[in-house]
C-alpha cells in the first residue's frame, strides 16, 4: 500500500493521522491501545501486557516509532547564531555530527519546551522538541539569515533503545557504528539513506534514526529482521514512560508546563526549577531569557525538581493494614500528588512509577529548594481504599537508573 | 590464636554471601570461603559450552526477598530481574494451555478445557494470595522454639496464633487443608480439568520425594504464590546473565561493605575443642580463626563432614542424620541452534517467554513417581523448561538459545546405588530429550551441546547432599521450628560459636536469601 505521504496527498483528513510506520505498527498492536501524539496515531502498548516491552528496553532492545516528534530544519549562514539565541545552549560551539540537549525558554526565562539540536554539517541543524514549536522560534528569526522548515511530517523517525541496540544496528548496517554518546552520523542501511544519532529518552544505550517517509517501511523491516536474534521488540509509549522516569527525564506537559500555554504564572518553571539547569549556558551574551536566567542563577532556587524514592515497606504495611496485598501496577502514573514535610506541603509529585529494575517506587517531584537535598526525608500522599495516608519518601539523586552502557 | 575475623562463612552460595553482606554491612570483619572456582553454589552461571551461559542448577528466581534487593542495593551491584511472562503446558493430544498475565486471556485459554475452571481460576489465585500473606511474615522471622519455648518464643507463637485467628474462617479451613492434604486433593476441591490441575499440582512436588497425591504436598503449592519479583506478589523471573548474576550481585554488595571472599578455598574441617568451634582448616592446611564460624553448607555436611560426630550430642547427631534429603530431580541444560517448535503451538511467540511444563496429566505425574519409588528414573518425567535467552540475549550468541530443563523424578537412590548414576547419565539425558521430542519433534537436531546433571552430580559437584536442591526436603516435618531439627532452628547450633545460614535452616530452599539474612540478624543480636 502506498503511504499517503507527503502532505497534499489523498489521506483521510480525520485526525489523528497515521505515522509513516503505521502499516507495520498497526497489525502488531493487538491491544488496540493507541493515543494521539501531536495529531498522530501512536501506540501505547502492543500487547495487553506491558512488562515484556519494558524489559525489552532494559535487557535486549525496543523499537519505538517517534515520528510525531517536532523536527525543524534550521539552515542558513546564521543558523548556529540563531539556535544559540532561541535555545539555552551555545550552539556555535556544537561541532558537526554532534547533538546537544537544549531547553527553550521565553523572555522571562520560563521553559517553553526541551529537545535536542543536531549539527548536520553542511545541511544545517535539526531542532527536535516535544511540541509544535515552529511559530515560537520563528518569532525570533528577524535579523538572522536563517531558514526554518518544519519537517515534523516529512521525516520519519525510529528510536532503537536498549543494551542490544548497537549490535542490531551494526548487523543491519553491515558495519561498525562507533558513535559516542550524543554523536550522530549519516549512513546507508542497505541503500536507505538515514541519519543516526546516539540519543534517546530511555537513559539506556540507544539510538534514534531519521529517514524519508518513503523508506520507513523498509527501514522498519530491516531493523526487525536484524533484531530478531537479539530479541528486539516493538515498544509503545507506556513502556517509554516508565523508563524515562527511571532515567530521571522530565516530560513537557507533565513535569513542567510550556510557559506560553500557562494561564497562571505559578504554573511556569525555569530550567533550573525543572531540573535541567545543566542545559543552560550562561555568560555567552544575550539570548532569549538570558537576563532572567542570570538573575535566577544567583539566587537560591525556589523550586527544585527531585527524585523521590517512596518507602515500599511502608506501602506494604498500609496495604496490609486493610488486609490487601500490595498493588503496584507496572505503569507510570501522571497524577499529581502532594508532598509534605511534617505539617507543611512542600511540593508535589508529577510522575511516578514502580521501577521493575530497581524494585522500588520512584517519582519525579517539584519541591521547595530548601528540602531538595538528597537524603531529605519527606512524606507523600497515598490513597488506599479511598482513604488518604502519608508514606515516607526520601529525596534521591537522579537518574534513578544509570547504566554505564548509556555512555560507554 | 587470636581471632582475625569476626565471622568466617563456609560456602559462597547465595545464602552464605547474603549473610556475609549483612554482617559486613553491620561493620563485622567477614571472610567467605568457597570451594569452587566460581561463586554462587547452586545459584551459578557457567559458560559450559562456548558462547552459551547456563544457569547450571537453579534456573528461576522468585522468592528472592525484595528487602534484600533493596537493603543490599543489588540493582546498583548489577542485578536485573526479568519476569517470566506466562506458563505454557503442551499436551500429548496436540492441545495446549497457556496461563498469561492477562486475566481475560487466561480465562479464555482455560475455558477451552472447562468453562467452570476458567471462572474459578482467579478466585483460586485470590485465596492463595490471602494465605500466602499469612505465611510471608513467617519467612522473615527467626523461628520460635515451639518444643521447649522460652518467654520470647511464647510471645512469638502467640502472635502467630493471633494472625491465624485474624484469617477468615474459610481461609483458616483452607490453611488446615493445605497442611494436611495432597496437592491433587486440594486442587480437586477447586477444579475439574486435568489440563489445568496437572501443571498446577507439580508446584507441590518440586524438590521433594513425594507424588502429587502424597499428603502434605498441598502446602508447597502455596510457595508458588509467594513469589514476589516486583514487590507486588507476582511472578517468577530470570536474572539477566543467568542465576549466577544474583550471587555475583550479592558478592559485589558484600565486598562493597568490606567482606573478603575467597574462591578455590575448600574447607577440610572445623576444628572443635571443648565443644567450641574456633578454627576453620582448609584442605591446604591453612587455619583461619574467627569469633564465629557460619556454615552455608547443608546440615549433614556441616555436622558430619566438617565438625565430626565425636563433637556432637548423640541425640542431636541422630536427628541431623535423620533429616531427609532424598534428592529427586536432575537437570539437563541445552545449547540450541534455534528455538524449539511445539506442535501444539508452533512458532516463537510469547508462549516461550515463560516456563514450559511437561505435565500431561495427574496420572502421568503419579506414574512418574511410582517408578522413582523403586529406584528408577521416570521413563516419562515431569519437565519444567525455561528458555531464558528468549528474553535475555546476553546468555547465548545471537539467534541461538539456552534451554534449561528441570527433571523430576531422578531418585538419588538408584537401583544400583547412587554411585551408579554416572553410568546412566547419558541414558537419563536421552529419556529427557525423547520425552520432549514428543511435544517438539526435531528438537534433537537443534541441540549443539547437552549437559546432564544427575542427583549424584549435584552432590559431587555442588555439595548438595543426596542431590537435594533445597539442602533437605521441604516437607512439613522439616520446616519452620523443625528445620533442621527441633530446638536448633534459630541458626545457632549446639557447637559453641558454630552457626548455620543456608537453605537447611528456616525458611528453606530456593533462591530466596532469607536464611542468610535471618541468620545474620540472629548473629548480630547474639551476645558473645
Amino acid at each position: 500500500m502506498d503511504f499517503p505521504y507527503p502532505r497534499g496527498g489523498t489521506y483521510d483528513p480525520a485526525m489523528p493521522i497515521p505515522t509513516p510506520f503505521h502499516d507495520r505498527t498497526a497489525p502488531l498492536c493487538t491491544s488496540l491501545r493507541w493515543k494521539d501524539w501531536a495529531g498522530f496515531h501512536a501506540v501505547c502498548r502492543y500487547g495487553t501486557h506491558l512488562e515484556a516491552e519494558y524489559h525489552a528496553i532494559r535487557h535486549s532492545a525496543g523499537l519505538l516509532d517517534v515520528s510525531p516528534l517536532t523536527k525543524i530544519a534550521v539552515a542558513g549562514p546564521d543558523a548556529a547564531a540563531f539556535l544559540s539565541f532561541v535555545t539555552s545552549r551555545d550552539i556555535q560551539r556544537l561541532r558537526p555530527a554532534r547533538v546537544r540537549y537544549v531547553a527553550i525558554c521565553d523572555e522571562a526565562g520560563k521553559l517553553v519546551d526541551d529537545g535536542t539540536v543536531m549539527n548536520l554539517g553542511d545541511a544545517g541543524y535539526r531542532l527536535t522538541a516535544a511540541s509544535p514549536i515552529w511559530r515560537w522560534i520563528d518569532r525570533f528569526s528577524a535579523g538572522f539569515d536563517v531558514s526554518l522548515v518544519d519537517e515534523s511530517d516529512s521525516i520519519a523517525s525510529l528510536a532503537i533503545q536498549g543494551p542490544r541496540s548497537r549490535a542490531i544496528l551494526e548487523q543491519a548496517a553491515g558495519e561498525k557504528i562507533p558513535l559516542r554518546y550524543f554523536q550522530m552520523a549519516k549512513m546507508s542501511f542497505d541503500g536507505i539513506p538515514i541519519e543516526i544519532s546516539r540519543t534517546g529518552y530511555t537513559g539506556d544505550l540507544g539510538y534514534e534514526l531519521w529517514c524519508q517517509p518513503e523508506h520507513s517501511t523498509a527501514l522498519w523491516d530491516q531493523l526487525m529482521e536484524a533484531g530478531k536474534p537479539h530479541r528486539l521488540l516493538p515498544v509503545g509509549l507506556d513502556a517509554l514512560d516508565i523508563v524515562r522516569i527511571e532515567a530521571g527525564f522530565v516530560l513537557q506537559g507533565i513535569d513542567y508546563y510550556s510557559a506560553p500555554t500557562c494561564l497562571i504564572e505559578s504554573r511556569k518553571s525555569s530550567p533550573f526549577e525543572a531540573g535541567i539547569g545543566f542545559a543552560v549556558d550562561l555568560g555567552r551574551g544575550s539570548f532569549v531569557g538570558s537576563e532572567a536566567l542570570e538573575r535566577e542563577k544567583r539566587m537560591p532556587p525556589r523550586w527544585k525538581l527531585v527524585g523521590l524514592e517512596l518507602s515500599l515497606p511502608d506501602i506494604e504495611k498500609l496495604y496490609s493494614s486493610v488486609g490487601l496485598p500490595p498493588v503496584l501496577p507496572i505503569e507510570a502514573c501522571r497524577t499529581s500528588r502532594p508532598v509534605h514535610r511534617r505539617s507543611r506541603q512542600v511540593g508535589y509529585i508529577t510522575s511516578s512509577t514502580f521501577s521493575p529494575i530497581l524494585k522500588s517506587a520512584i517519582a519525579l517531584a517539584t519541591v521547595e529548594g530548601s528540602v531538595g537535598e538528597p537524603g531529605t526525608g519527606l512524606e507523600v500522599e497515598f490513597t488506599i481504599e479511598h482513604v488518604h495516608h502519608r508514606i515516607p519518601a526520601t529525596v534521591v539523586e537522579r537518574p534513578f537508573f544509570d547504566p554505564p552502557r548509556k555512555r560507554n | 590464636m587470636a581471632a582475625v575475623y569476626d565471622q568466617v562463612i563456609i560456602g559462597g552460595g547465595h545464602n552464605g554471601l547474603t549473610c556475609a553482606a549483612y554482617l559486613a554491612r553491620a561493620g563485622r570483619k567477614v571472610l567467605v570461603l568457597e570451594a569452587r572456582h566460581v561463586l554462587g553454589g547452586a545459584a551459578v552461571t557457567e559458560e559450559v559450552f562456548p558462547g552459551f551461559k547456563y544457569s547450571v542448577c537453579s534456573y528461576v528466581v522468585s522468592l528472592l526477598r525484595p528487602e534484600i534487593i533493596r537493603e543490599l542495593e543489588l540493582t546498583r551491584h548489577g542485578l536485573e530481574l526479568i519476569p517470566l511472562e506466562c506458563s505454557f503446558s503442551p499436551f500429548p493430544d496436540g492441545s495446549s494451555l497457556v496461563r498469561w498475565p492477562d486475566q481475560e486471556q487466561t480465562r479464555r485459554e482455560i475455558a477451552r478445557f472447562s468453562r467452570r475452571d476458567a471462572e474459578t481460576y482467579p478466585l483460586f489465585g485470590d485465596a492463595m494470595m490471602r494465605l500466602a500473606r499469612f505465611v510471608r511474615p513467617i519467612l522473615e522471622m527467626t523461628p520460635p522454639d515451639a518444643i521447649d519455648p522460652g518467654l520470647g518464643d511464647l510471645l512469638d507463637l502467640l502472635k502467630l496464633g493471633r494472625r491465624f485467628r485474624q484469617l477468615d474462617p474459610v481461609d483458616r479451613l483452607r490453611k488446615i487443608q493445605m497442611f494436611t492434604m495432597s496437592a491433587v486433593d486440594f486442587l480437586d476441591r477447586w477444579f475439574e480439568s486435568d489440563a489445568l490441575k496437572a501443571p498446577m499440582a507439580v508446584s507441590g512436588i518440586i524438590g521433594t520425594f513425594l507424588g502429587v497425591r502424597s499428603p502434605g504436598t498441598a502446602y508447597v503449592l502455596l510457595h508458588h504464590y509467594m513469589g514476589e519479583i516486583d514487590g507486588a506478589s507476582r511472578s517468577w523471573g530470570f536474572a539477566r546473565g543467568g542465576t549466577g548474576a544474583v550471587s555475583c550481585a550479592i558478592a559485589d554488595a558484600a565486598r562493597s561493605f568490606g567482606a573478603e571472599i575467597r574462591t578455590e578455598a575448600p574447607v577440610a574441617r572445623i576444628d572443635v575443642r571443648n565443644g567450641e568451634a574456633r578454627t576453620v582448616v582448609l584442605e591446604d592446611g591453612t587455619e583461619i580463626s574467627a569469633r564465629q564460624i557460619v556454615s552455608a553448607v547443608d546440615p549433614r555436611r556441616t555436622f558430619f563432614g566438617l565438625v565430626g560426630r565425636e563433637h556432637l550430642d548423640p541425640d542431636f547427631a541422630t536427628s541431623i542424620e535423620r533429616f531427609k534429603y532424598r534428592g529427586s530431580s536432575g537437570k539437563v541444560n541445552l545449547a540450541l541452534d534455534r528455538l524449539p517448535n511445539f506442535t501444539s503451538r508452533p512458532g516463537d511467540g510469547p508462549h516461550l517467554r515463560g516456563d514450559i511444563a511437561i505435565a500431561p496429566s495427574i496420572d502421568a505425574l503419579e506414574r512418574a513417581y511410582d517408578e522413582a519409588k523403586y529406584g528408577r528414573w521416570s521413563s516419562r518425567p515431569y519437565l519444567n523448561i525455561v528458555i531464558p535467552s528468549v528474553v535475555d540475549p546476553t546468555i547465548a550468541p545471537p539467534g541461538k538459545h539456552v534451554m534449561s530443563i528441570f527433571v523430576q523424578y531422578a531418585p538419588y537412590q538408584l537401583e544400583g546405588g547412587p554411585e551408579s548414576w554416572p553410568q546412566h547419565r547419558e541414558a537419563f539425558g536421552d529419556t529427557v530429550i525423547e520425552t520432549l521430542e514428543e511435544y517438539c519433534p526435531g528438537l534433537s537436531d537443534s541441540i549443539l551441546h547437552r549437559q546432564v546433571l544427575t542427583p549424584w552430580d549435584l552432590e559431587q559437584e555442588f555439595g548438595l547432599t543426596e542431590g537435594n536442591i533445597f539442602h533437605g526436603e521441604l516437607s512439613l516435618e522439616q520446616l519452620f521450628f523443625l528445620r533442621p531439627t527441633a530446638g536448633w532452628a534459630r541458626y545457632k547450633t549446639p557447637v559453641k560459636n558454630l552457626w548455620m545460614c543456608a537453605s537447611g535452616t528456616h525458611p528453606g530452599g530456593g533462591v530466596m536469601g532469607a536464611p542468610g539474612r535471618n541468620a545474620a540478624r540472629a548473629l548480630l543480636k547474639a551476645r558473645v
Side-chain angles (χ1 to χ4, degrees), chain B residues 160-436:
Chain B
L160 277 180
R162 280 187 51 188
R163 280 183 64 81
F164 188 68
R165 267 191 50 191
Q166 282 161 3
L167 281 176
D168 194 81
V170 180
D171 287 336
R172 260 182 266 162
L173 171 66
R174 282 183 190 139
K175 192 86 213 164
I176 291 165
Q177 287 172 345
M178 296 208 92
F179 278 124
T180 53
M181 295 173 84
S182 74
V184 170
D185 286 345
F186 187 73
L187 290 170
D188 278 343
R189 292 184 157 257
W190 289 85
F191 302 113
E192 58 189 19
S193 162
D194 227 34
L196 180 61
K197 281 186 288 185
M200 288 178 82
V202 287
S203 359
I205 56 163
I206 287 187
T208 71
F209 199 82
L210 295 168
V212 285
R213 292 200 175 105
S214 309
T217 48
Y219 174 75
V220 190
L221 282 180
L222 196 54
H223 271 254
H224 241 79
Y225 285 84
M226 284 189 292
E228 47 179 339
I229 287 257
D230 282 327
S233 313
R234 116 174 77 209
S235 74
W236 295 58
F238 304 113
R240 177 174 152 89
T243 308
V246 176
S247 309
C248 290
I250 300 172
D252 207 40
R255 283 194 200 99
S256 77
F257 297 126
E260 189 184 330
I261 300 171
R262 286 189 213 163
T263 52
E264 294 179 276
V267 174
R269 61 189 175 83
I270 297 169
D271 201 16
V272 179
R273 270 175 223 167
N274 306 325
E276 199 173 319
R278 292 169 162 266
T279 312
V280 171
V281 185
L282 303 190
E283 279 182 8
D284 65 9
T286 314
E287 294 191 10
I288 299 164
S289 55
R291 289 199 298 136
Q292 282 136 354
I293 294 166
V294 187
S295 169
V297 302
D298 67 42
R300 186 178 299 176
R301 287 168 61 91
T302 302
F303 292 108
F304 300 140
L306 298 175
V307 172
R309 183 182 279 269
E310 63 277 19
H311 299 295
L312 301 172
D313 166 81
D315 289 341
F316 176 78
T318 307
S319 69
I320 290 297
E321 195 168 55
R322 296 194 176 157
F323 187 66
K324 286 182 296 180
Y325 293 86
R326 308 195 299 177
S328 59
S329 58
K331 184 85 194 291
V332 175
N333 297 309
L334 302 177
L336 298 178
D337 193 31
R338 54 180 179 270
L339 278 172
N341 196 26
F342 285 83
T343 318
S344 58
R345 223 171 263 235
D348 63 351
H351 60 289
L352 300 180
R353 287 192 211 138
D355 74 313
I356 304 163
I358 303 295
S361 68
I362 298 287
D363 280 349
L365 291 169
E366 193 65 15
R367 259 197 303 277
Y369 178 48
D370 286 344
E371 290 169 285
K373 279 188 272 188
Y374 306 107
R376 292 187 300 272
W377 70 81
S378 314
S379 50
R380 282 297 172 263
Y382 156 61
L383 306 180
N384 189 251
I385 303 163
V386 291
I387 315 170
S389 48
V390 170
V391 290
D392 174 10
T394 64
I395 55 171
K400 315 283 185 214
H401 289 278
V402 166
M403 182 187 264
S404 153
I405 311 172
F406 170 87
V407 190
Q408 191 159 337
Y409 299 85
Y412 177 78
Q413 289 294 345
L414 210 55
E415 264 173 324
E419 328 63 66
S420 68
W421 260 116
Q423 288 152 247
H424 299 292
R425 190 186 290 124
E426 293 311 314
F428 168 64
D430 291 343
T431 301
V432 172
I433 302 303
E434 277 160 29
T435 306
L436 197 48

Side-chain angles (χ1 to χ4, degrees), chain A residues 84-369:
Chain A
S84 301
F85 186 67
V86 294
T87 75
S88 61
R89 280 287 175 59
D90 186 358
I91 299 302
Q92 313 222 46
R93 286 170 48 201
L94 181 66
R95 281 176 288 158
R98 294 295 166 98
V99 189
R100 184 149 290 183
Y101 176 72
V102 301
I104 298 169
C105 297
D106 68 5
E107 292 87 334
K110 299 297 182 184
L111 271 172
V112 177
D113 206 337
D114 64 305
T116 61
V117 171
M118 273 174 219
N119 186 338
L120 305 174
D122 297 340
Y125 295 83
R126 176 178 300 142
L127 170 69
T128 69
S131 58
I133 193 114
W134 181 85
R135 184 204 68 95
W136 176 267
I137 61 167
D138 184 52
R139 283 173 57 216
F140 300 102
S141 64
F144 288 97
D145 186 359
V146 67
S147 77
L148 300 178
V149 180
D150 188 343
E151 296 183 320
S152 304
D153 291 5
S154 51
I155 293 180
S157 30
L158 280 178
I160 179 165
Q161 302 277 314
R164 302 302 273 203
S165 52
R166 183 188 292 138
I168 294 167
L169 289 173
E170 288 181 348
Q171 190 155 330
E175 58 178 299
K176 285 270 171 219
I177 298 184
L179 284 184
R180 283 190 303 204
Y181 195 46
F182 272 74
Q183 264 188 339
M184 61 151 308
K186 285 181 187 172
M187 300 189 65
S188 161
F189 270 34
D190 203 17
I192 305 171
I194 63 160
E195 282 140 9
I196 172 170
S197 55
R198 188 162 160 197
T199 50
Y201 197 49
T202 61
D204 216 304
L205 174 65
Y207 301 82
E208 287 169 310
L209 314 183
W210 320 82
C211 75
Q212 299 301 313
E214 61 264 32
H215 298 308
S216 58
T217 310
L219 180 65
W220 175 277
D221 291 346
Q222 265 192 44
L223 290 174
M224 287 297 280
E225 185 58 33
K228 215 172 171 184
H230 298 278
R231 314 308 299 174
L232 175 71
L233 283 187
V235 304
L237 296 175
D238 287 351
L240 184 70
D241 211 9
I242 301 177
V243 295
R244 70 99 189 164
I245 296 173
E246 291 178 337
F249 294 147
V250 290
L251 179 56
Q252 190 236 54
I254 302 297
D255 302 303
Y256 74 88
Y257 292 107
S258 179
T261 69
C262 291
L263 296 176
I264 49 176
E265 197 58 26
S266 62
R267 283 198 164 190
K268 300 179 181 175
S269 310
S270 76
F272 299 113
E273 292 170 335
I276 49 177
F278 65 88
V280 180
D281 296 338
L282 290 172
R284 58 177 173 93
S286 164
F287 62 95
V288 181
S290 60
E291 251 175 70
L293 291 169
E294 297 267 12
R295 217 169 26 243
E296 191 180 332
K297 181 84 191 249
R298 288 195 294 269
M299 312 271 280
R302 208 160 80 81
W303 295 101
K304 200 174 166 191
L305 188 121
V306 297
L308 286 186
E309 190 175 329
L310 282 57
S311 162
L312 265 193
D314 285 285
I315 295 176
E316 281 175 25
K317 234 183 270 166
L318 261 188
Y319 273 103
S320 188
S321 69
V322 295
L324 287 173
V327 182
L328 292 159
I330 297 193
E331 187 164 37
C333 166
R334 295 170 166 192
T335 311
S336 166
R337 278 191 275 159
V339 175
H340 300 268
R341 174 138 169 109
R342 301 195 191 95
S343 55
R344 208 163 60 82
Q345 183 174 351
V346 293
Y348 49 93
I349 283 177
T350 46
S351 297
S352 55
T353 187
F354 178 76
S355 164
I357 201 157
L358 299 168
K359 303 279 163 278
S360 63
I362 57 174
L364 296 177
T366 296
V367 298
E368 291 175 7

Side-chain angles (χ1 to χ4, degrees), chain A residues 369-397:
Chain A
S370 59
V371 298
E373 277 307 302
T376 310
L378 300 173
E379 286 185 332
V380 172
E381 282 201 12
F382 204 86
T383 306
I384 292 175
E385 288 304 285
H386 326 291
V387 179
H388 260 325
H389 300 270
R390 284 189 195 174
I391 54 148
T394 313
V395 178
V396 296
E397 301 276 359

